[in-house]
Amino acid sequence: MARVLIADDHPLFRDAIRGVVAQVFADAGWEFSCVEAATVGEVLRIADSDEELDVLLLDLYMPGAQGLSQLVTLRSKLPSTPIIVLSSISDPQTVQQCITCGAAGFVPKSASKEQIAVALRTVFDGGVYLPESLGPSTEPAPLHPVIRRHVPDDQDSGPLTGRQVAVLELVASGKSNKQIAWELSISETTVKAHMTAILRKLGVSSRAQAIVLFQRQLIPHSLPS
């Protein structure tokens, strides 16, 4: 089950976003749970929890925000979670700054529900979503620090190991890191290390994207010895 965090200080706007998220996940046949935050402090507390996040929709100027600092902080705390920025300020400079700071997409608050849905699908497919006024959505930018396609080095190249496939299978079944650790008799730290390696080998930026590849049976893996 995917986990989505909607961070905005306006309850009605959160309700609208939650409805769009529900429709996108329903169309994809995925189950999801949604958590909400109304302040930067609440977002950071959720980011520090043990639960994984598959996508974060972030109001850029909610109470407690100081420019782009919260985006930079969250990017550090959630290195594998795509962050889509929501903002009423959508000038080209602000948009570019957000992308440079690690956002996987930028959606003006004036956008329609259809545009927000397109942004979610674009990001889940590994792309970067930009407002229509700045041009079409694109594949990850070559210099994007978070969601660019990974060029594997010797350590990250090659197919997934049997243990990595086992971890990914449990992730796809909705298991948390704690549950996976218990079932495989390994530590949660080891589970996280496996997930980091899996994301790098698959060239994706989130658990949700890895699950999509797994469900489509596009996962190369080593034969058991």
Side-chain angles (χ1 to χ4, degrees), residues 26-218:
D27 291 344
W30 298 344
E31 294 183 353
F32 81 102
S33 62
C34 188
V35 290
E36 300 181 6
T39 67
V40 171
E42 291 177 4
V43 177
L44 294 176
R45 283 194 292 274
I46 294 172
D48 286 332
S49 70
D50 291 333
E51 295 294 333
E52 300 83 22
L53 291 172
D54 291 278
V55 66
L56 164 57
L57 295 110
L58 177 68
D59 176 10
L60 197 58
Y61 296 109
M62 66 173 59
Q66 296 180 345
L68 296 173
S69 62
Q70 81 273 18
L71 174 57
V72 174
T73 300
L74 288 166
R75 183 69 285 152
S76 176
K77 289 178 177 291
L78 304 168
S80 63
T81 300
I83 299 175
I84 300 176
V85 169
L86 306 168
S87 178
S88 57
I89 300 175
S90 57
D91 60 277
Q93 182 178 3
T94 299
V95 174
Q96 185 55 55
Q97 286 176 338
C98 288
I99 299 301
T100 300
C101 289
F106 188 103
V107 180
K109 286 195 172 182
S110 59
S112 66
K113 291 183 178 181
E114 290 75 17
Q115 289 173 313
I116 297 172
V118 169
L120 282 165
R121 295 189 186 101
T122 299
V123 170
F124 277 129
D125 285 341
V128 175
Y129 182 84
L130 299 175
E132 292 182 352
S133 60
L134 296 182
S137 301
T138 66
E139 283 300 306
L143 297 180
H144 193 283
V146 177
I147 64 170
R148 66 180 184 274
R149 296 297 183 193
H150 179 73
V151 179
D153 55 24
D154 291 340
Q155 184 177 0
D156 296 327
S157 60
L160 300 186
T161 66
R163 179 50 61 94
Q164 289 167 350
V165 172
V167 168
L168 185 53
E169 183 177 15
L170 291 171
V171 168
S173 69
K175 302 289 186 181
S176 67
N177 282 353
K178 183 177 297 186
Q179 291 170 318
I180 294 171
W182 184 84
E183 292 199 20
L184 298 181
S185 298
I186 57 179
S187 69
E188 288 188 60
T189 299
T190 300
V191 174
K192 291 179 180 179
H194 280 313
M195 278 308 305
T196 298
I198 289 168
L199 296 180
R200 287 175 178 170
K201 285 185 176 182
L202 298 182
V204 297
S205 61
S206 72
R207 295 162 72 98
Q209 292 169 9
I211 290 171
V212 170
L213 292 180
F214 180 82
Q215 291 174 336
R216 293 175 181 173
Q217 297 183 341
L218 300 177

